[in-house]
Amino acid sequence: MSDQFKISLPDGSVREMPLGSTPADVAAAIGPGLAKAALAARVDGELVDLSRPFTADAQLALVTSRDEADALDLARHDFAHVLAEAVQALFPGTQITFGPSTDDGFYYDFAPKDRQLTEDDLPAIEAEMRKIIAADKPLRREVWSREQLISRWQQQGESFKAEWAAELPGDEDLTVYWSGEDWLDMCRGPHLPSTGKLDPAAFKLTRVSGAYWRGDQANAMLSRIYGTGWLNKKQLAEHLTRLEEAGKRDHRKLGAEMDLFHLQQEAHGSVFWHPNGFKIWRELEAYMRRAIDAAGYREVKTPQVMDARQWEQSGHWGKYRENMFVIPDEVPNTEDDGPVISGEADWMALKPMNCPAHVLIFRQGIKSYRDLPLRLYENGCCHRNEPHGALHGLMRVRQFTQDDAHIFCREDQIVEEARAFCALADRIYQDFGFTYAVKLALRPDQRFGSEADWDKAEAELREAVVRAGMATDEYGWEELPGEGAFYAPKLEWHLTDAIGRTWQVGTLQSDRVLPERLDASYIGEDGARHRPVMLHRAIFGSYERFIGILIEHFAGKLPVWLAPVQAVVATIVSDADDYARDVVRQLEAAGIRVEADLRNEKINYKVREHSLKKVPHLLVLGKREAEEGTVALRSMDVEHQKVMPLAEAIAMLKAQATPPDVRATI
RNA sequence: GCCGCUUUAGCUCAGUCGGUAGAGCACAUCAUUCGUAAUGAUGGGGUCACAGGUUCGAAUCCUGUAAGCGGCACCA
C-alpha cells in the first residue's frame, strides 16, 4: 500500500496527499483563498467535515458558499447547535434533545428545567448565540463508543440524549462534535470548521412552541425554538420580506378587508359567509355544476343527520366517533331546572362525510351492470369535530362543504374512470391557474384487505395516471409509501400557489370496503350479484378551503369572473349621478356584478377605498364622461386609466367576467 | 387535545406603581362638488372575553373557563 492517496478534483486534476491529510489540507495546498472559503467537502459524493482525514483514494469537491444548497444546510445545522449551546449557557439544567435544519432555518427542542421557554427569552438567546459565533469556536468531530457516550449523558442529567443514544440503530460507534473545549452534542455531522464561519447577522430566532419528544403525543412536551438561518444578511432580509408578503395575503386578513366572511366564538370553526364571500362560492358552485354535468355525474342531496345505527354499520361510529357531532333523537326538556336531555334517547349524528348516504342511494332499486358507472355528486355539507388546536381560518373548519362524488363502477371500469378523473381535475386546476403535482399514497402499516387486493388497487391507480399521461416529472408524479388510507390507496393532487406553497386538495380513492360493509351490489352480465367498487373523489376538496387557497394564491386580486364585485361606478361630481345610474343599469343588464359609488367624497378617496377592496375595475365618471357617453376605466394593476365609449367598456368587462370554461365553448 | 402567547370601542391598537379608560380609522351630522390611493369640523359609541378570588379600590395581581394566534399532535 502506498503512503499517498490520490485525490481527484472536479477539474480532473489529481493530487497526491500523504496519509492523514484532510480536505482542508487540499484546500490549503490549492491556495489560501480557497482554504478560507471552504466550508466542508464532498468526498466520493458524501458531505464530510474539512478535517476528516482521507481513508482511501477519493474524488474530492470542496464546498463553499457558492454551493448554496449544501452551504445553507451546513449553516442551519450549525445554527441549531449554537442555539443549543447558548440555551444551556443561559439556562443551566435545560436538557438538549434534537435540532435539525429546516427549509428556511433550523429548530432545537429543549426540555426546560423550571419553566417553558417563551418568546421573551429570544433576544437574550440571540445575543448569546452571537457571542458563540464571535468566539469562533472550532467544531471538532470525535468518535465515541456508545457506552461511553450514554454514561456521559447520564452523568450530565441528559436523559433524552441518553435514551436516544441507546436506541440509535446499528452498532457502530457514535460521533460527537465539540464546540471549543467546553460543549458537545451528539451528531452525525458534518459541520463547518468553526462557529465563526456563520454570519452573526444572517439568523433570527422566530418563535417558541411546544413539540412532543419524538413526535409522539404520549411523550413529554418539549420547548421548541425555531429560527431562520441564511448565509448572509441580505438573504435573511429577503426571507423576512417574503414572510411579510405572505402575511399580507393571509386569507383571514383579506377576508375581513374584503368583507368576505367572518368567524366568531359562538360558532367557532364554522364560517359566516358575507354577501361578497358567498358570491365567490356561488360562482364556484355554478362552475363545478357545469363541469360535473358535462362529465356525466348526477347531482344528489342527502340528509344532514342520520341514525347512529347507520354510522355503526358504515364503521364510522367505532372508528370516527370522536370527530362526530352526536345528537339525541328526542324533544329536549324545556323545564328551567331540569336536564335538557334524558340520556335515554337514541343517538343520531351529523354526517362527517357523504359516502354512506351515497351508497344508500345506490342501493335503492336493483342495479344492473348496464347502470355502471354511476357517478353521484353532492355539494355535501359535513361536520367534523376537529381538535381545537387544528382549526385555522377557512383552511381547517368544523363545518365544510365538499365537492364530493362517488363513482360506483365495475372492476374493469376503474382504470378508465380514474383516468377520466385525472383529465377533469387537470382542466379545472388549469382554469384557476394552478400548477399541481399528482401523488399516489400507498398502503399504510395498519390496513384492511389482502396483499393481493392492495397490489391490484395500487396498480390500477398507477395505470390510470400513466394512461392520463401524467406519471411524469412534469406532473410531479411521486409515490408515497405508507401514506394511503387504511382501506385504499389514494391519488392526491397538490396545488402549488403563486408563492410556492403547496396545498393538497384533490383526491381519488378506490374503495372495496364500504360497498361490502353496506352491502351494495349490482347484477352482472352473468346474472349473479357483484360488488361495485366505489371511487371517492373531490377536486376542490372543500369550498371553504378552496376559497381560502384562491384568496391567498391571488393575494385577494381574484380574476374578474370570481371577483365578488367586478366593477364600481364612481362619480367625481353629483352632476354625473344620473349618467352613473344609467351605466350601472347597463352593466347589470350585461350580467356584471357592479356597484355604484355616488357618495359625496373626493375621487381620491373612492379610488383608494375600492383599490383596497381589490375591485378589478373602477369606472370613473365626471362631467366629461357624462357629456360624451364614455367611461374612464381604471383597472387593477394597470398604470393608466383608459377613456372609452361605454359600449366598449361593457363588452370588455363582459368578456373578462365570463368563466373560463364558458369562454372556451363560445 | 398539548406547550407558549393573546383577548380593551365595529376595526387596528395605547393604557406607567392597582386609584372607575384613550388614539387613529369606521359610523352620524354639517360644510365642501372636488379628475384617479385618506377634505375639514362636530358628535355618538366601552360590564376592559367570561366567572370567581385578593384588595378600601382591579383593564392592571391570582385562579378557572372560552375563543384567537404560533407551533406540536391530529387530518379513518
Side-chain angles (χ1 to χ4, degrees), chain A residues 57-94:
Chain A
D57 293 349
Q59 300 276 346
L60 170 70
L62 291 160
V63 173
T64 68
S65 60
R66 288 189 177 183
D67 305 293
E68 191 153 291
D70 281 340
L72 275 172
D73 200 53
L74 285 161
R76 287 166 180 165
H77 192 176
D78 282 16
F79 277 127
H81 275 244
V82 172
L83 166 61
E85 186 177 345
V87 167
Q88 286 203 312
L90 291 174
F91 303 94
T94 301

Side-chain angles (χ1 to χ4, degrees), chain A residues 53-347:
Chain A
F54 296 110
T55 54
D57 293 349
Q59 300 276 346
L60 170 70
L62 291 160
V63 173
T64 68
S65 60
R66 288 189 177 183
D67 305 293
E68 191 153 291
D70 281 340
L72 275 172
D73 200 53
L74 285 161
R76 287 166 180 165
H77 192 176
D78 282 16
F79 277 127
H81 275 244
V82 172
L83 166 61
E85 186 177 345
V87 167
Q88 286 203 312
L90 291 174
F91 303 94
T94 301
Q95 290 191 59
I96 52 175
T97 69
F98 185 64
S101 60
T102 64
D103 287 346
D104 67 359
F106 55 94
Y107 67 79
Y108 208 106
D109 287 346
F110 301 95
K113 188 167 169 238
D114 312 309
R115 61 171 177 92
Q116 299 283 331
L117 298 164
T118 77
E119 261 153 51
D120 296 338
D121 298 320
L122 296 183
I125 298 170
E126 282 186 359
E128 184 67 26
M129 287 174 70
R130 295 205 167 88
K131 267 195 226 164
I132 294 168
I133 293 170
D136 195 15
K137 297 171 85 171
L139 298 169
R140 186 165 48 81
R141 179 178 186 271
E142 266 179 20
V143 178
W144 288 35
S145 77
R146 193 174 290 246
E147 294 69 33
Q148 188 188 6
L149 188 51
I150 292 174
S151 88
R152 177 179 168 111
W153 289 134
Q154 281 167 347
Q155 266 170 32
Q156 296 194 333
E158 297 277 3
S159 56
F160 292 94
K161 278 288 184 191
E163 179 187 328
W164 190 251
E167 288 185 30
L168 273 173
D171 41 24
E172 326 111 55
D173 290 333
L174 302 173
T175 54
V176 300
Y177 278 81
W178 284 95
S179 166
E181 298 301 324
D182 54 345
W183 192 82
L184 68 74
D185 193 358
M186 173 169 75
C187 181
R188 190 189 281 164
H191 279 281
L192 301 176
S194 67
T195 59
K197 294 282 179 188
L198 294 170
D199 182 341
F203 79 96
K204 182 175 162 60
L205 299 181
T206 49
R207 54 184 174 253
V208 178
S209 81
Y212 298 107
W213 167 236
R214 305 177 86 164
D216 185 338
Q217 61 173 322
N219 290 340
M221 176 63 68
L222 306 172
S223 272
R224 174 173 297 178
I225 297 182
Y226 281 94
T228 183
W230 301 86
L231 296 178
N232 53 57
K233 193 175 170 178
K234 182 161 166 267
Q235 284 182 346
L236 173 66
E238 283 166 1
H239 177 69
L240 294 177
T241 307
R242 274 197 299 279
L243 285 184
E244 212 174 294
E245 291 303 314
K248 279 185 196 157
R249 51 173 79 213
D250 187 311
H251 72 281
R252 293 165 301 184
K253 184 172 142 66
L254 288 168
E257 285 171 9
M258 297 168 70
D259 194 17
L260 302 177
F261 65 89
H262 85 272
L263 295 155
Q264 68 178 56
Q265 190 163 347
E266 288 71 12
H268 71 106
S270 299
V271 184
F272 291 80
W273 286 100
H274 296 194
N276 279 346
F278 204 61
K279 282 176 191 163
I280 304 173
W281 183 301
R282 284 173 29 142
E283 200 61 58
L284 289 180
E285 224 171 35
Y287 174 93
M288 188 52 84
R289 286 202 164 104
R290 290 191 298 273
I292 57 135
D293 285 352
Y297 289 76
R298 294 201 261 171
E299 185 171 355
V300 297
K301 198 75 185 170
T302 62
Q304 212 58 47
V305 178
M306 288 201 291
D307 197 290
R309 282 184 288 273
Q310 183 61 51
W311 299 112
E312 273 164 30
Q313 207 179 344
S314 65
H316 293 95
W317 196 252
K319 282 201 181 300
Y320 202 66
R321 193 169 66 226
E322 62 178 343
N323 284 306
M324 288 167 69
F325 289 98
V326 296
I327 306 171
D329 186 10
E330 68 174 14
V331 178
N333 180 16
T334 53
E335 303 293 322
D336 284 342
D337 43 4
V340 177
I341 59 168
S342 66
E344 289 163 12
D346 287 339
W347 290 110

Side-chain angles (χ1 to χ4, degrees), chain A residues 291-292 295 297 419-429 537 539:
Chain A
I292 57 135
Y297 289 76
R419 185 211 60 78
F421 179 75
C422 290
L424 179 64
D426 179 67
R427 202 168 66 237
I428 290 176
Y429 294 143
R537 41 107 299 165
I539 293 175

Side-chain angles (χ1 to χ4, degrees), chain A residues 254 257-258 607-615:
Chain A
L254 288 168
E257 285 171 9
M258 297 168 70
V607 166
R608 175 183 157 80
E609 195 164 271
H610 300 300
S611 300
L612 288 174
K613 295 216 167 191
K614 323 272 188 215
V615 175

